[in-house]
Amino acid sequence: MLLREVAYAKPESLAEALEILAADDGARALAGGQTLINVMKARAGSPDTLVDLSGLDDLKGIELGADGTLELGAMTTYSEIIASSEARARPILGEVCAQIADVQVRNRGTIGGNACTNDPTNHLPPLLAALGARFTIAGRGGEQTVPAEEFFLGVYLTAVGTGELLTKITIPAGRNDGFAAVTLGVDGTCVVSAAASLNGSARLALGCVDAVPVVLSPSSTDPDAVRQAVRDTALDPPSDVHASSDYRRHLAEVLAVRAIEQAQRS
Amino acid sequence: MATSAVPTERAISVTVNGTTYDREVEARKLLIHFLRDDLDLTGSHIGCDTGNCGACSVIVDGTLVKSCMLLAVQADGARVETVEGLAAGDELSKLQQAFTAHHALQCGYCTPGMLMSATALLRANPSPSDDEIRKALQGNICRCTGYWNIFEAVKAAAE
């Protein structure tokens, strides 16, 4: 498919990237391109300028702090997370990244791209929300760090504004996590997903049932309590060819229990 | 149209199967089109053009990618391997010979992508398990549904 004409910049520094993004409101960041290139083919989006982030070393790499905190550069690919010994400090990360699409997509797709796309069917937004991840956004005026609740704002919409970039995702220490999803084929996009984290208090995040991950804190990990906590959120998920609203509500309860059970075993 | 001072074309240098090509390309050109139309390397196929089928799979700097989801300008400075580079002259690679021996191609449309995916797998993991072979070929669709013989060929090449 021939894309619409587009300008292309490959900045060598974060400052240069932010400058280009701020100068042109039709500019879009190009991370792994595993969503954006297809969006451009379909003309669902037609940026005037692509700002290729692959030359920005500041956005790459995985660091494990002495206290177990993980810092992942936004341009870190799924394959790099899967292969990283540091990322194994939070094993669920590599485990879920290995469930995204296929080898080729995992080799190019990035954690930052997945989060910034905030497609409700993506695996990582609910997972990152459950893990208590924090998102660092850089703009020309400086940087700010926000929790998931303030990062995911709507379908395809995050707190990263025009002229800004997500630079890194910070994940606190912990090991007792779980993820469960009903997907379109093995490793396909999610119909409904649930992520759980039992580090300290129980924290659940449900995906594909609302515009953003629905975060809740069940009073206990007992399956009935978990189901009740999901019911108490009064979900009103969309209906589509893959699942009716009622079926998604049902799946949310089932998958929440499964995610909690995995977190208890891990 | 682009209104900024950022150019819509770029001079790139890409090494494909050992030969370096210097070309001026439009930023909107996909790597698969660059390979097929500009370099006349038509071994890599366009199946779905949506990133699903894997017929366009090539290896870029040692990493397996779908070349319909990469711009040619993103491959500037890279070393690209395509199906044309697998054989040494007239000598097919062990994997290609295994595809022949096991009837791993019917219409052949998916074969270049299957070969590149399996080549990437066997480099990284010379003795894959059955599940690892299946997982490695997950991004490649065979429209003849001839998966079993493809699996057998990769398994034979691995042994």
Side-chain angles (χ1 to χ4, degrees), chain B residues 45-75:
Chain B
H45 291 163
I46 303 170
C48 68
D49 205 7
T50 57
N52 286 286
C53 82
C56 66
S57 297
V58 299
I59 296 173
V60 176
D61 285 337
T63 300
L64 184 74
V65 305
K66 292 177 180 171
S67 61
C68 81
M69 289 200 290
L70 194 73
L71 302 172
V73 289
Q74 290 178 282

Side-chain angles (χ1 to χ4, degrees), chain A residues 37-59:
Chain A
I37 301 286
N38 286 328
V39 163
M40 291 171 70
K41 286 178 194 168
R43 301 294 194 269
S46 289
D48 295 325
T49 302
L50 289 174
V51 183
D52 184 349
L53 306 181
S54 65
L56 306 183
D57 291 338
D58 289 354
L59 270 57

Side-chain angles (χ1 to χ4, degrees), chain A residues 8 17 40 42 59 103 107 109 115 119 135 152 155 188 196 218 235 251 254 257:
Chain A
Y8 171 86
M40 291 171 70
L59 270 57
V103 180
N107 283 343
D119 185 315
F135 302 78
F152 299 113
V155 177
L235 296 172
L251 286 179
V254 172
V257 170

Side-chain angles (χ1 to χ4, degrees), chain A residues 247-265:
Chain A
Y247 184 49
R248 276 200 167 84
R249 242 189 314 269
H250 168 73
L251 286 179
E253 289 184 32
V254 172
L255 295 170
V257 170
R258 284 185 196 165
I260 292 274
E261 284 174 351
Q262 186 195 347
Q264 287 172 318
R265 287 194 307 270

Side-chain angles (χ1 to χ4, degrees), chain A:
Chain A
M1 180 77 72
L2 184 63
L3 305 180
R4 205 194 67 152
E5 186 173 63
V6 66
Y8 171 86
K10 190 177 175 186
E12 289 172 3
S13 71
L14 180 59
E16 189 190 344
L18 293 172
E19 196 173 311
I20 300 167
L21 286 165
D24 179 357
D25 62 8
R28 284 281 303 273
L30 174 63
Q34 303 302 283
T35 300
L36 182 55
I37 301 286
N38 286 328
V39 163
M40 291 171 70
K41 286 178 194 168
R43 301 294 194 269
S46 289
D48 295 325
T49 302
L50 289 174
V51 183
D52 184 349
L53 306 181
S54 65
L56 306 183
D57 291 338
D58 289 354
L59 270 57
K60 292 179 189 165
I62 303 172
E63 282 182 32
L64 178 60
D67 64 349
T69 301
L70 267 176
E71 285 194 352
L72 300 112
M75 283 292 284
T76 308
T77 65
Y78 311 132
S79 290
E80 287 165 349
I81 293 170
I82 293 164
S84 160
S85 53
E86 287 83 8
R88 256 164 243 148
R90 206 87 201 233
I92 195 74
L93 274 174
E95 206 176 295
V96 173
C97 284
Q99 297 171 31
I100 297 174
D102 51 53
V103 180
Q104 293 95 318
V105 170
R106 290 193 287 272
N107 283 343
R108 294 284 310 169
T110 65
I111 184 172
N114 193 299
C116 287
T117 303
N118 195 23
D119 185 315
T121 67
N122 278 3
H123 292 66
L124 297 187
L127 179 66
L128 294 170
L131 299 185
R134 296 174 66 80
F135 302 78
T136 300
I137 301 165
R140 288 199 299 174
E143 63 174 39
Q144 57 165 332
T145 299
V146 298
E149 288 87 339
E150 293 169 33
F151 183 81
F152 299 113
L153 299 182
V155 177
Y156 310 137
L157 190 68
T158 69
V160 182
T162 303
E164 295 181 330
L165 281 174
L166 173 69
T167 57
K168 68 177 178 187
I169 297 174
T170 306
I171 298 173
R175 290 196 75 81
N176 304 112
D177 309 311
F179 183 86
V182 168
T183 57
L184 302 179
V186 174
D187 301 343
T189 54
C190 301
V191 175
V192 175
S193 61
S197 182
L198 301 180
N199 302 281
S201 59
R203 193 172 150 94
L204 258 175
L206 306 171
C208 320
V209 289
D210 203 340
V212 296
V214 175
V215 179
L216 52 149
S217 303
S219 56
S220 91
T221 54
D222 172 72
D224 289 335
V226 171
R227 282 175 172 273
Q228 188 58 50
V230 174
R231 275 196 292 272
D232 288 345
T233 58
L235 296 172
D236 184 23
S239 292
D240 61 23
V241 291
H242 305 301
S244 67
S245 183
D246 280 345
Y247 184 49
R248 276 200 167 84
R249 242 189 314 269
H250 168 73
L251 286 179
E253 289 184 32
V254 172
L255 295 170
V257 170
R258 284 185 196 165
I260 292 274
E261 284 174 351
Q262 186 195 347
Q264 287 172 318
R265 287 194 307 270
S266 62

Side-chain angles (χ1 to χ4, degrees), chain B residues 92-104:
Chain B
L92 294 177
S93 72
K94 190 179 173 192
L95 179 68
Q96 287 173 307
Q97 291 178 36
F99 265 59
T100 305
H102 291 269
H103 295 282

